[in-house]
Structure formats: structure tokens, C-alpha cells
């Protein structure tokens, strides 16, 4: 490497430079200095194919600032440059990266582009890690972005999606990424992000490799990992459970060999109720309880007896030790065999017991399970006045009152915001509670759960409203949020005609929107000498809905059309 002064016209930005092919870099922090004192720190350059010409691998911002100053002054001074050896691409890349990381943080996608070039030039992850003084895990994380479709990388670089979403997308196949992008682009679709994205990718049954009691690498089980290297999951949950339950039995045997009188393995998904037990030493009859969670986690509780047994110990009585078992009665294979046959028999008989099946389904919808993932309608809006309008409406007050009644019926906390997913009661216990309820009470639970999970703005809302025959005038009246949302003058004129008549609308057609809104309010309230209109509901809100103009863009009308189309299709197929 040698130092020299090179004319501005003989310099260009190299493709290896991190800032190549991007818009003009931000130079606000260095431009005043370059105007006053010129470029002081040498650019790093190397010869290119043209004779006497050089390309910049580090120093694009100084070069761009110098070009601006040259345009302002009308002449250009040669720039100080450090010239690299010809053809040293990897060294050039490292020079560009080191300078840019030190001077102005580059986004991860830009770093990925440059790190990928370094890898192609023969640099290892360890080399890159040493050069930039960052952990290898961070280098892997940045290189992992290569598994993403270019559009997803672009969204990440523009901060349109979070890092947690990108982390999970690195585990997705290309087809899954394309499907996700379609959801992202659809304003009316639910696009899972963050933790919900993981559930979407794995169907709600993701089991972390961190929960395994066995040697994951030695097991040979297929692992799906985020390419950042931080999270790993089992591709086959059934294979995981076979290995995990076998490891639990091995753990149980080790405790028995260590002198514990009894080791209790709770059924999968069962909870160890610590408040019903007391600590007790091994020599006093304390047991080991092994809790196997549906998530795959295994918690071990050493040295416990039941509360009743603790009272006996305090009285000096001994607890009869359970006979030691050298090995379980059933192997994990036989347990699986039995579980699957019992499952087959139960679901076959369930077809003849619809009342039981109904209660079981409600329990799943409320409590969830490894196979059930029910989401609650968030009723989200970015406008505070719209949110408040809904919250204080008569409809919400009635629904909340009935929801509280159902919470009490099920024995849930009355302050829980929802019945669905609103309590930690185990699924089996909730099912047993529902069995004790009469059909009418179960139907009340169903109505609340369905209301909490009914998707707003969907065709099914339209279908239900039409079937029930909802009169919106009984549930809604115009408020400030409603009038704030109407800004189209043609629509306001049509509304005036609807509540006040054609003559009133024609006479005020040239008035401002505020005046038209005041006329509508006066008719609805019967003020200022205007005839009071009772029970008025705008066409969009009625069941069935309608538009005021021939323009599109009325969501309820679109949903109605969809519902009618589906109904007609069903009738044709039935015929």
C-alpha cells in the first residue's frame, strides 16, 4: 500500500464499497469540514481497468462531499489516497466494512451483502469475526439473512418488519415465505408476526430443542433452526415425545437408584400443585415429582409429600414407602400403542354422543390445547375516538354483562377481559365442569366465546346479522366519532336528503361539510325547528347494507355480496 494524491476525475466508487449503488450517502456531519479544510483522511483505493483510474473501496462519503465542494468552487483539488495492491478484493471489502462500521453503522442487510462477498472471496466466519471484533454468532445472524427472499430483506432494511419476525422467517421454506408475503400485502388478511409467526410455521406445536432431556445430536431427529442459530425446534413432535418420555423414565430410574422411595411421573400436561404439598427430606419419605408439560419442558420437584402426609410427619408418624420399581410396567412404545388405540375408540364413540362432543369442543375453544389455537378479535383501531365509541356503546355494555355472567358460571375471575384464553384452568378440568352444566348454560358459554372470536368486517358477520335479523337502531346512534369520520360532501348531501328530504338537500347543496353535518344532527335530535327522525341508521351499517353512491369501497356491502354469493352457491349444490 502506498499514499498518493489522485485527481477527483480519476476516482469512482467500487462495487466492493458498502455504499455502492445506493442513493447519495448522508454527508451532513462531514460536509462543513470538507468545505473548510478539504479531505484530511486518505481514501482507500485500488487501480481499476482504465489506465490511471482508481476505484474507492472505503471513503465514499468523503469522495461525495469533495465532489459537492468542487461543484460549489468550480475546481477540484486532488484527494489523499491509500492505494491497495491490485486485485485484492477481500482486503478491499474488509477495508470498506471496517471504515463504515466504525464511522456510521450500516444496516444488517447492507452488512449481509458485504459479508457474503467476503465469504465468496474465501474468508471464514472466524476470519470475519476477528476482523470486525464481533462474536461469530452475530456474523452467522447477519449471513442468515441470505435464506430470506430479497423482498423480505428489503422490508427488514426499511424497518417495515421486526427482528423477531425475521428470525422466525429464516426457518421458513421459500414457499412459506411467499405465502407470508402475500398475507403481508393483503390489507384484509391476518399476517402473523413475532411469536404468532412461529405458531403459524409450526401449526402451534413447536417444541424447542432446549427442552430435550436426551442428546439431540445423537438422537438423529430432524431439527429446524432459525439461521441466526439461537432457536431450534423439532420437525417431528411425535418422534420428540417418544424420545423425551423414554428419557423421563431413565431419569426416574436414576432417582430410584439414588435412594428415593418413590418417583411420581405426572401425566403429560398435568400440573404439580405445589400448594397441596409440603417439603420433606428423602429419609422422611419425601418423593420426587416429575412434571411433563405440553411444551416439552420437564420440571422436577424433589422432596415433597402431600399436605395430609405432612401433618402425620409432624405427629411423628411414618409414611409408608411405596415399593421400589426397577422399571416401568410399560415401555414408551407400548404406552404409545395403548394411547393411540384408546384415542381411536374414544373418537369413534364420540360420534354417538354429540352433547359430550359439544362440551369438549367448547372446552378446547376456551382453554386451548397443543392442537387448538383460537384467537380473539382485538377490535383494534388507530383512532382513539372510534375505540371509545365502541367501548361505551350499548352493544358492548350488554355483551360485557353477559360475559361476566359466563366467567362466574365457569368459576373464572370476574375481572378477566375474556372467557377465551382468559384462565389457566386445565383443559380436562374445564371439560368436567362443562359436563355438569345444562345445555342452556353451555349455549351461553358458546355465545360469548363465539362473540369474542368473531372476525370483525368479515362476511360471516354479515351472514349472522341477516340470519338473526339485527335492527342496528336498537344498538347504535350517531355520535361525534361517526360525524368526524364522514368527510365526503357528496355523501353528506345524500345523508341530508335521507333524513331531511330532497328539498333540504338541494337547498344546502353548496354549503360546507360542517353545515351539512349540523343539519343531520338537528334532524336526529329534533332541534332548531327541524323534524326529528327516530331510529335512523346509515345504509352502510344496516343489515343488509347498501351504498349511497355507485363508487366502490363500502366494506359491509362487499361482505354482504360475498355472503349472498356463498349462500346461492350452497343452495345450488344442495339442489
Amino acid at each position: 500500500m502506498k499514499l498518493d494524491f489522485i485527481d477527483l476525475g480519476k476516482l469512482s466508487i467500487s462495487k466492493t464499497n458498502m455504499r455502492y449503488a445506493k442513493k447519495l450517502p448522508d454527508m451532513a456531519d462531514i460536509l462543513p469540514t470538507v468545505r473548510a479544510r478539504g479531505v484530511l483522511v486518505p481514501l482507500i483505493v485500488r487501480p481499476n481497468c482504465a489506465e490511471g483510474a482508481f476505484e474507492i473501496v472505503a471513503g465514499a462519503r468523503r469522495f461525495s462531499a469533495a465532489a459537492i465542494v468542487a461543484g460549489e468552487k468550480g475546481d477540484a483539488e486532488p484527494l489523499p489516497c491509500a492505494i491497495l495492491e491490485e486485485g485484492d478484493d477481500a482486503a478491499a471489502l474488509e477495508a470498506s466494512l471496517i471504515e463504515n462500521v466504525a464511522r456510521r453503522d450500516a444496516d444488517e442487510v447492507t452488512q449481509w451483502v458485504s459479508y457474503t462477498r467476503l465469504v465468496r472471496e474465501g474468508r471464514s466466519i472466524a476470519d470475519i469475526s476477528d476482523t470486525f471484533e464481533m462474536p461469530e454468532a452475530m456474523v452467522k445472524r447477519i449471513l442468515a439473512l441470505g435464506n430470506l427472499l430479497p423482498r423480505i430483506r428489503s422490508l427488514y432494511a426499511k424497518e417495515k418488519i421486526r427482528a423477531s419476525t425475521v428470525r422466525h422467517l429464516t426457518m421458513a421454506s421459500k414457499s412459506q415465505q411467499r405465502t407470508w408475503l402475500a398475507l403481508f400485502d393483503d390489507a384484509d388478511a391476518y399476517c402473523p408476526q413475532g411469536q404468532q409467526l412461529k405458531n403459524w410455521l409450526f401449526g402451534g406445536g413447536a417444541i424447542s430443542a432446549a427442552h430435550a432431556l436426551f442428546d439431540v445430536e445423537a438422537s438423529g431427529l430432524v431439527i429446524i433452526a432459525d439461521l441466526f442459530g439461537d432457536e431450534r425446534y423439532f420437525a417431528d413432535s411425535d418422534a420428540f415425545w417418544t424420545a423425551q418420555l423414554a428419557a423421563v423414565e431413565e431419569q426416574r430410574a436414576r432417582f430410584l437408584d439414588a435412594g428415593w422411595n418413590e418417583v411420581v411421573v405426572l401425566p403429560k400436561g398435568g400440573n404439580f400443585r405445589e400448594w397441596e404439598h409440603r417439603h420433606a427430606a428423602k429419609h422422611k419419605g419425601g418423593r420426587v415429582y416429575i412434571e411433563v408439560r405440553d411444551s416439552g419442558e420437564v420440571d422436577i420437584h424433589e422432596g415433597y409429600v402431600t399436605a395430609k402426609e405432612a401433618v402425620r410427619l409432624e405427629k411423628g408418624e411414618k409414611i409408608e414407602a411405596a415399593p421400589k420399581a426397577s422399571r416401568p410396567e410399560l415401555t414408551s412404545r407400548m404406552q404409545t400403542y395403548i394411547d393411540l388405540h384408546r384415542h381411536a375408540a374414544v373418537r369413534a364413540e364420540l360420534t354417538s354422543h354429540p352433547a359430550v362432543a359439544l362440551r369438549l369442543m367448547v372446552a378446547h375453544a376456551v382453554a386451548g390445547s397443543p392442537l387448538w389455537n383460537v384467537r380473539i378479535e382485538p377490535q383494534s383501531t388507530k383512532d382513539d375516538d372510534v375505540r371509545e365509541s365502541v367501548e361505551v356503546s350499548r352493544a358492548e355494555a350488554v355483551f360485557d354483562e353477559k360475559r361476566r355472567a359466563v366467567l362466574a358460571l365457569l368459576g373464572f375471575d370476574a375481572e378477566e377481559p375474556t372467557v377465551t384464553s382468559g384462565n389457566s384452568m386445565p383443559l380436562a378440568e374445564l371439560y368436567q365442569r362443562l359436563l355438569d352444566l345444562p345445555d342452556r348454560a353451555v349455549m351461553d358459554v358458546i355465545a360469548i366465546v363465539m362473540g369474542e372470536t368473531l372476525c370483525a368486517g368479515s362476511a360471516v358477520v354479515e351472514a349472522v346479522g341477516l340470519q338473526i335479523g339485527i335492527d342496528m337502531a336498537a344498538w347504535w346512534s350517531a355520535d361525534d366519532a361517526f360525524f368526524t369520520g364522514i368527510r365526503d360532501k357528496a355523501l353528506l348531501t345524500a345523508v341530508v336528503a335521507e333524513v331531511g328530504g330532497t328539498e333540504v338537500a338541494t337547498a344546502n347543496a353548496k354549503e360546507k361539510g360542517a353545515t351539512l353535518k349540523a343539519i343531520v344532527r338537528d334532524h336526529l335530535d329534533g332541534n332548531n325547528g327541524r323534524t326529528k327522525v327516530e331510529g335512523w341508521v346509515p345504509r352502510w351499517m344496516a343489515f343488509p347494507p347498501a351504498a349511497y353512491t355507485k363508487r366502490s369501497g363500502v366494506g359491509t356491502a362487499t361482505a354482504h355480496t360475498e355472503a349472498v354469493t356463498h349462500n346461492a352457491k350452497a343452495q345450488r349444490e344442495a339442489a
Side-chain angles (χ1 to χ4, degrees), residues 272 274 277-281 284 286 301-306 310 313:
F272 175 70
E274 189 170 346
H277 296 76
R278 303 289 184 271
H279 280 289
K284 289 189 176 182
H301 308 273
E302 294 186 33
Y304 281 91
V305 294
T306 65
L313 284 174

Side-chain angles (χ1 to χ4, degrees), residues 275-334:
W275 62 90
E276 294 179 357
H277 296 76
R278 303 289 184 271
H279 280 289
K282 182 193 302 184
H283 68 276
K284 289 189 176 182
R287 302 184 188 88
V288 176
Y289 290 85
I290 300 180
E291 184 180 11
V292 183
R293 299 181 181 273
D294 288 325
S295 64
E297 281 185 274
V298 175
D299 290 332
I300 296 175
H301 308 273
E302 294 186 33
Y304 281 91
V305 294
T306 65
K308 291 182 179 179
E309 290 171 335
V311 172
R312 289 168 52 195
L313 284 174
E314 290 174 359
K315 294 180 180 179
E317 299 177 15
K318 290 186 178 182
I319 299 176
E320 293 292 332
K324 284 190 176 183
S326 58
R327 59 184 178 182
E329 184 172 333
L330 292 177
T331 62
S332 60
R333 177 187 182 280
M334 280 304 298

Side-chain angles (χ1 to χ4, degrees), residues 205-272:
I207 297 178
S208 171
H211 298 333
L213 294 182
F214 54 90
D215 187 328
V216 175
E217 278 66 31
S219 70
L221 298 183
V222 178
I223 299 295
I224 298 175
D226 73 27
L227 297 186
F228 293 178
D230 294 337
E231 298 184 26
R232 302 191 304 160
Y233 301 91
F234 289 97
D236 186 341
S237 59
D238 290 335
F240 162 80
W241 281 115
T242 298
Q244 185 77 333
L245 293 177
V248 167
E249 289 301 327
E250 293 175 2
Q251 181 68 62
R252 178 176 178 272
R254 285 194 290 271
F255 278 118
L256 291 171
D257 292 340
W260 290 95
N261 290 324
E262 188 176 3
V263 180
V264 179
V265 179
L266 299 174
K268 182 160 71 76
N271 294 320
F272 175 70

Side-chain angles (χ1 to χ4, degrees), residues 142-174:
I142 293 169
L143 289 173
L145 296 175
N147 191 53
L148 299 174
L149 294 173
R151 171 94 191 287
I152 295 177
R153 287 198 296 268
S154 176
L155 289 172
Y156 182 42
K158 295 175 182 177
E159 298 183 351
K160 297 290 182 65
I161 54 177
R162 301 189 304 271
S164 59
T165 296
V166 170
R167 178 185 301 274
H168 294 311
L169 282 173
T170 62
M171 294 185 284
S173 64
K174 291 298 189 292

Side-chain angles (χ1 to χ4, degrees), residues 399 440 442-452:
F399 186 82
R440 175 64 234 184
V442 174
M443 293 301 177
D444 289 342
V445 177
I446 291 174
I448 294 300
V449 172
M450 197 59 255
E452 290 177 343

